[in-house]
């Protein structure tokens, strides 16, 4: 399984902070994103933003990153700390 | 030293730790504070959310990047999370070096990188009690260009 | 605040003064210390001579130049003179601004300018008791080029 | 009269920290410098250095600056504070 996390306004808008998905069906970030977008129009819209950031196993990553069981993938809006 | 914490931090303690190593000739510190005004809006409070499993790792990575580029004797990053009040301290970055050029550049680089890469998010409450997530500033992205990243 | 003094200064006191003004979002401080080594030579002490009638005026002029270029809420420069020991503090520059870019640039500009324009001269004593005037570093001249001066 | 000051290694090498010169005979910094260099070979050498700095009335200046009675002119080597 792959653990998927959402943060900040993205989490608020999706109404979900965490979910698990099958690693077989989600071999990389791009496929995972496509599968998540298929949930409904709201997910499609929120996860299509050009500014969406992704971290794989707590490191900033990109859509080509491959995934395997046990990985943690986080999606979040542009960071605003500091 | 890298720390993510809810508690406040003390400038003198952090500065004293940075200045003590042999050969140190320059210490540069940056402190970010909760402004009482942001993008024209009067602020009453701020909440900082983060991605706990990732934040310290992200900050440590940024410091490592800085160490590859500049000669650094000592570096500290402290970032607070949770509820903050007006004029509270949010973040401290301190760098000790042999010479000032390295200390200035590394300190500013760490802040510029932190602003765009470290998983913290600000939620402001304005003076009439409305809460909203703070938008990322485009100037934080453009600030990165001086380091040949992006 | 501009000061030339023989006494030491306190980081926390200077920082607290800088951070207190309304709208302040960023404070950058620089502190220069007496290194225990300079250009390969082991140092045992340092004497700072200055041109008393000119030093505070020169520092004030430099801060005014910085205020013409960047948005500064508050700025402090303290420079010590007289006999100093290893690891002693020599100079403090602190700048408070709305945003970090202004604070970093103004603080570094003030230091770069001070290094080449303010009438202070260092005399070092090495570990075998020889005293000699410190040579100006060419890198201090070249540091000015990033501000389009020289 | 014009007050002339020397600092740091320049003062040590000249062996003088302060002197007074006539304002009539020293209408600008260049003439003042030339007059001082005429003292002897050591002065000629030390005051001919390209790195020599000058301040007129406590402000960094240059050789073209005009002088009048009551002015204070300081000559010194490159500064090394900070």
């Amino acid at each position: 399984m792959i653990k998927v996390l959402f943060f900040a306004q993205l989490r608020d808008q999706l109404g979900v902070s965490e979910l698990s998905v099958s690693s077989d069906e989600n071999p990389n970030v791009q496929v995972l994103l496509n599968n998540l977008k298929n949930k409904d129009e709201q997910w499609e819209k929120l996860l299509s933003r050009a500014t969406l950031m992704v971290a794989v196993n707590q490191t900033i990553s990109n859509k080509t990153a491959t995934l395997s069981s046990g990985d943690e993938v986080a999606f979040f809006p542009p960071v605003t700390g500091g | 030293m890298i720390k993510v914490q809810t508690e406040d931090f003390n400038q003198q303690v952090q500065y004293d730790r940075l200045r003590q190593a042999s050969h140190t000739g320059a210490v540069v510190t940056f402190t970010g504070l909760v402004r009482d005004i942001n993008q024209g809006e009067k602020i009453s409070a701020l909440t900082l959310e983060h991605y706990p499993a990732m934040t310290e790792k992200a900050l440590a990575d940024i410091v490592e990047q800085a160490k590859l580029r500049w000669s650094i004797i000592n570096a500290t990053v402290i970032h607070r999370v949770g509820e903050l009040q007006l004029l509270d301290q949010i973040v401290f970055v301190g760098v000790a070096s042999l010479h000032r050029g390295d200390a200035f550049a590394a300190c500013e680089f760490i802040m510029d990188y932190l602003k765009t890469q470290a998983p913290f998010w600000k939620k402001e409450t304005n003076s009439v009690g409305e809460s909203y997530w703070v938008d990322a500033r485009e100037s934080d992205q453009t600030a990165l260009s001086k380091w040949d990243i992006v």
Side-chain angles (χ1 to χ4, degrees), chain A residues 17-38:
Chain A
S17 63
E18 183 177 338
L19 49 82
S20 283
V21 298
S22 146
S23 52
D24 293 344
E25 290 165 23
N26 298 282
N28 63 49
V29 173
Q30 184 62 67
V31 172
L32 167 60
L33 257 183
N34 289 342
N35 289 336
L36 293 171
K37 285 185 203 171
N38 284 337

Side-chain angles (χ1 to χ4, degrees), chain A residues 82, chain B residues 9 30-34 88-93 111:
Chain B
F9 50 82
F30 171 85
T31 316
L33 305 166
V34 181
D88 272 0
Q89 301 185 119
I90 303 171
V91 59
F92 175 89
V93 178
M111 271 310 300

Side-chain angles (χ1 to χ4, degrees), chain A residues 5 7-9 11-12 53 55 57-60 72 74 76-82, chain B residues 49-51 53-54 57 79 91 114-123 133-134 136:
Chain A
L5 304 174
F7 289 97
Q9 57 268 54
R11 176 204 52 229
D12 290 357
M53 294 180 77
N57 297 328
Q58 302 90 42
T59 299
I60 299 281
E72 178 173 295
F76 42 82
V79 300
T80 57
Chain B
E49 172 173 331
H50 70 133
Y51 175 5
M54 180 173 168
K57 185 170 183 291
H79 203 299
V91 59
L114 184 159
K115 279 271 180 181
T116 54
Q117 305 285 305
F120 297 95
W121 300 274
K122 286 186 183 134
K123 195 175 197 172
W133 293 97
V134 172

Side-chain angles (χ1 to χ4, degrees), chain B residues 32-129:
Chain B
L33 305 166
V34 181
R35 272 193 307 273
D36 46 10
I37 197 157
N38 193 17
Q39 296 171 346
E41 188 97 52
K42 279 197 183 167
I43 306 309
S44 71
L46 187 73
T47 305
L48 263 150
E49 172 173 331
H50 70 133
Y51 175 5
M54 180 173 168
T55 35
E56 294 205 2
K57 185 170 183 291
L59 297 176
D61 284 350
I62 293 168
V63 170
E64 286 310 306
Q65 296 275 344
K67 284 182 174 172
L68 292 176
R69 289 176 176 237
W70 294 283
S71 176
I72 296 176
I73 295 172
N74 222 329
T76 298
V77 181
I78 304 175
H79 203 299
R80 294 177 69 193
V81 293
E83 300 271 336
L84 299 177
Q85 304 304 311
L86 286 197
L87 307 181
D88 272 0
Q89 301 185 119
I90 303 171
V91 59
F92 175 89
V93 178
V95 176
S97 290
L98 203 54
H99 298 296
R100 74 186 184 286
D102 286 332
F104 273 115
C107 189
E108 188 168 14
F109 171 90
I110 290 169
M111 271 310 300
D112 284 351
Y113 221 116
L114 184 159
K115 279 271 180 181
T116 54
Q117 305 285 305
F120 297 95
W121 300 274
K122 286 186 183 134
K123 195 175 197 172
E124 286 178 351
T125 304
N126 67 13
S127 52
V128 296

